[in-house]
C-alpha cells in the first residue's frame, strides 16, 4: 500500500510539472518599434577631437517601444555623410553591454571611426549616426539620424604596434626580414639608434611582406609606399617617430663618453659599431682615493649634434653591481649632477683595463663592463 501511495505521488508531480511547462511554453515575441527620438549630441554638433586625452562624447536616445517587456539591445551605427546605414562604417553596442539607451565613446575611438570614414588627419568631415534596436533576430534601424562634424588632429588613428626601418640606406639593407626594430617608448612613439648611409629607407610595421609602409615628408610621417632619400657618408643617428602627432626628430650622435664622477670628467670614449651598440674595447680605470676610501662611481655622456646628454641609473644612489638584476645596468636620461644616478664598478676593475659596451636596442637600453 505504501509503495502504491509513493508511486501515485510521483505520477502526480510528473503531471503537475508537465502541465506547468506547457503553460510557460509560449512563443517569444520579436516585435519592437525603431528608436524614434535621438537626444544627444545635437544634430550637426561640432567636435574637435583630442584623442590623446580622456575626452569622450555621450550619445543618448529614447527607448524603443516594447509591449511585452522583452530585452532590447541597442547599437549606435556610424556611416559616411551620404550613407544609408546599409553598410555602416561601424556599429558599437551601447553602454551596459547593449542594454542602456546611451553610449559613451572616447575621442580616441571617434578618431578611428572618422579615419575609417575617409576623414583625413588635420581636416574636418561629417559622420551620420543612428541607433539600431534589436530583439533576437529582429533588428530595426532608427527612424531618425543625425550628423556629427568631426575635426581630426594631426597623427594616426591607429598607431602601429611595432615599427621597423629598412632600405638601402639602413644597416639591414633592402631585405625586409633584416629590418631594424625600433624601441617603443610609449604608445605610438618609437626610437632607434642606428646609422644611415647614402640610399633610401622607409618604415614598416612588419619585418615581412604585407606590412603597412610609412615615409617622412617635411618632418611629417605619412602612410604610403614612398621612401626617404639619404645622401653623404654614413652617420649615426637617434631617430624618433611619434605617430600620435605624426612628427619625427633626427639627432646625430657622435660618441658616448664614460664619465667618472670622482674625477668629474670622461675617462674613455665609446664609438658606434652597429646594431645600436657603442663600444670602447679598452679603457684604463683607477678608482679615486678619498680619505674614507676609493670611489668607483660612473655614468655616461652622449655627445649629440645638439649638445651633451647624460645617461645613468634609475637609482639616485647605487650599490655595488655584484648579484644585482639586469635592470641595475639599464640606462635612462639623467641630469649632469656629478654624483647622482651613477653606477659602481666592480671592485676588481680598480687599476685594470675594462671593455665597455652600451646597447641601445629595441629590447632595452643597457650596458656591460668587462674587466680585462
Amino acid at each position: 500500500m505504501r509503495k502504491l501511495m509513493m508511486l501515485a505521488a510521483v505520477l502526480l508531480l510528473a503531471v503537475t510539472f508537465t502541465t506547468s511547462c506547457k503553460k510557460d511554453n509560449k512563443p517569444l515575441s520579436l516585435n519592437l518599434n525603431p528608436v524614434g527620438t535621438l537626444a544627444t549630441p545635437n544634430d550637426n554638433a561640432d567636435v574637435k577631437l583630442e584623442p590623446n586625452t580622456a575626452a569622450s562624447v555621450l550619445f543618448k536616445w529614447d527607448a524603443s517601444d516594447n509591449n511585452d517587456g522583452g530585452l532590447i539591445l541597442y547599437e549606435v551605427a556610424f556611416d559616411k555623410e551620404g550613407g544609408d546605414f546599409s553598410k555602416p562604417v561601424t556599429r558599437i553596442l551601447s553602454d551596459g553591454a547593449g542594454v542602456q539607451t546611451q553610449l559613451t565613446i572616447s575621442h580616441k575611438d571617434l578618431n578611428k571611426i572618422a579615419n575609417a570614414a575617409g576623414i583625413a588627419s588635420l581636416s574636418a568631415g561629417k559622420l551620420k549616426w543612428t541607433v539600431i534596436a534589436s530583439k533576437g533576430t529582429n533588428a530595426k534601424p532608427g527612424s531618425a539620424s543625425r550628423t556629427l562634424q568631426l575635426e581630426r588632429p594631426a597623427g594616426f588613428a591607429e598607431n602601429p604596434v611595432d615599427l621597423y626601418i629598412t632600405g638601402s640606406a639602413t644597416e639591414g639593407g633592402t631585405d625586409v626580414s633584416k629590418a631594424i626594430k625600433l624601441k617603443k617608448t610609449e604608445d605610438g612613439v618609437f626610437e632607434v639608434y642606428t646609422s644611415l648611409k647614402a640610399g633610401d629607407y622607409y618604415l614598416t610595421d612588419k619585418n615581412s611582406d604585407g606590412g603597412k609602409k610609412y615615409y617622412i615628408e617635411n618632418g611629417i610621417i605619412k602612410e604610403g609606399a614612398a621612401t626617404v632619400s639619404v645622401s653623404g657618408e654614413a652617420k649615426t643617428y637617434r631617430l624618433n617617430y611619434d605617430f600620435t602627432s605624426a612628427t619625427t626628430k633626427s639627432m646625430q650622435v657622435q660618441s658616448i663618453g664614460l664619465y667618472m664622477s670622482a674625477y668629474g670628467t670622461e675617462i674613455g670614449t665609446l664609438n658606434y659599431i652597429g646594431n645600436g651598440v657603442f663600444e670602447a674595447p679598452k679603457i684604463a680605470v683607477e678608482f679615486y682615493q678619498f680619505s674614507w676610501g676609493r670611489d668607483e662611481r660612473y655614468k655616461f655622456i652622449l655627445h649629440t649634434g645638439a649638445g651633451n646628454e647624460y645617461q645613468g641609473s634609475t637609482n639616485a644612489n647605487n650599490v655595488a653591481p655584484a648579484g644585482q638584476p639586469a635592470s641595475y645596468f639599464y640606462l635612462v636620461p639623467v641630469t649632469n649632477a656629478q654624483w647622482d644616478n651613477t653606477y659602481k664598478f666592480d671592485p676588481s676593475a680598480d687599476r685594470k683595463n675594462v671593455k665597455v659596451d652600451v646597447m641601445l636596442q629595441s629590447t632595452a637600453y643597457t650596458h656591460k663592463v668587462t674587466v680585462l
Side-chain angles (χ1 to χ4, degrees):
M1 183 68 179
R2 184 176 181 182
K3 289 182 178 179
L4 289 173
M5 291 177 66
M6 291 177 63
L7 179 60
V10 170
L11 291 172
L12 180 61
L13 285 172
V15 171
T16 302
F17 178 76
T18 303
T19 304
S20 175
C21 289
K22 287 181 178 179
K23 288 181 180 178
D24 292 338
N25 188 19
K26 59 182 180 181
L28 176 66
S29 172
L30 300 181
N31 293 331
L32 80 163
N33 294 318
V35 171
T37 303
L38 305 179
T40 61
N42 294 329
D43 195 23
N44 290 312
D46 194 348
V47 179
K48 185 175 182 179
L49 295 175
E50 299 176 348
N52 295 324
T53 70
S56 62
V57 175
L58 180 64
F59 295 80
K60 297 187 74 172
W61 53 91
D62 289 348
S64 170
D65 292 335
N66 181 20
N67 295 327
D68 62 4
L71 179 66
I72 297 177
L73 296 179
Y74 300 97
E75 293 176 286
V76 176
F78 294 92
D79 209 341
K80 297 179 181 180
E81 184 178 5
D84 59 3
F85 300 106
S86 59
K87 293 182 179 179
V89 173
T90 191
R91 294 164 58 162
I92 304 175
L93 277 175
S94 69
D95 294 343
V99 300
Q100 296 185 29
T101 57
Q102 67 175 46
L103 170 65
T104 306
I105 184 166
S106 68
H107 278 210
K108 182 177 181 179
D109 287 336
L110 277 174
N111 194 38
K112 293 178 182 179
I113 296 169
N115 180 69
I119 302 173
S121 61
L122 284 176
S123 65
K126 292 184 177 182
L127 283 178
K128 288 178 65 177
W129 68 277
T130 192
V131 178
I132 298 174
S134 62
K135 190 175 180 183
T137 58
N138 186 20
K140 290 191 176 182
S143 59
S145 66
R146 286 185 176 178
T147 299
L148 196 63
Q149 174 91 3
L150 299 177
E151 183 179 343
R152 291 190 59 201
F156 288 77
E158 295 279 358
N159 295 327
V161 175
D162 298 310
L163 193 67
Y164 301 83
I165 185 169
T166 186
S168 60
T170 70
E171 295 178 16
T174 56
D175 185 350
V176 70
S177 68
K178 297 179 181 178
I180 299 165
K181 189 175 184 179
L182 281 71
K183 180 179 177 63
K184 181 189 286 188
T185 58
E186 58 184 280
D187 182 39
V189 183
F190 301 86
E191 182 175 87
V192 65
Y193 286 83
T194 191
S195 64
L196 294 174
K197 60 181 182 293
D200 55 52
Y201 73 87
Y202 64 91
L203 304 167
T204 178
D205 65 349
K206 294 180 181 179
N207 60 342
S208 59
D209 294 335
K212 290 183 179 179
K213 296 181 179 181
Y214 309 94
Y215 65 98
I216 314 303
E217 184 176 83
N218 298 322
I220 302 297
I221 305 171
K222 296 185 176 182
E223 185 176 347
T227 59
V228 181
S229 296
V230 179
S231 59
E233 61 183 17
K235 295 178 182 178
T236 305
Y237 295 93
R238 179 179 63 211
L239 305 174
N240 298 87
Y241 302 98
D242 187 344
F243 282 78
T244 65
S245 61
T247 58
T248 180
K249 294 180 182 178
S250 173
M251 181 70 67
Q252 186 179 353
V253 181
Q254 288 92 9
S255 63
I256 297 178
L258 177 60
Y259 174 86
M260 198 156 181
S261 297
Y263 294 100
T265 190
E266 298 174 42
I267 62 170
T269 300
L270 289 73
N271 293 308
Y272 188 71
I273 63 171
N275 194 31
V277 178
F278 292 78
E279 182 179 275
K282 186 177 181 181
I283 297 176
V285 173
E286 182 172 355
F287 299 171
Y288 189 88
Q289 183 66 53
F290 284 103
S291 59
W292 47 263
R294 298 179 68 76
D295 193 273
E296 69 274 54
R297 285 173 282 183
Y298 69 93
K299 57 185 172 182
F300 297 95
I301 301 177
L302 272 68
H303 298 283
T304 77
N308 294 337
E309 300 177 6
Y310 286 75
Q311 295 275 331
S313 172
T314 56
N315 301 318
N317 298 291
N318 250 333
V319 296
Q324 298 304 310
S327 58
Y328 175 94
F329 300 96
Y330 287 176
L331 292 157
V332 297
V334 298
T335 69
N336 62 354
Q338 183 176 2
W339 305 104
D340 295 346
N341 304 100
T342 56
Y343 309 93
K344 289 186 176 181
F345 285 112
D346 187 88
S348 63
D350 195 12
R351 297 190 178 97
K352 299 285 182 60
N353 292 318
V354 298
K355 177 177 176 288
V356 183
D357 293 282
V358 168
M359 289 79 75
L360 304 175
Q361 298 169 323
S362 62
T363 51
Y365 290 171
T366 187
H367 76 283
K368 181 179 180 180
V369 177
T370 305
V371 180
L372 300 176

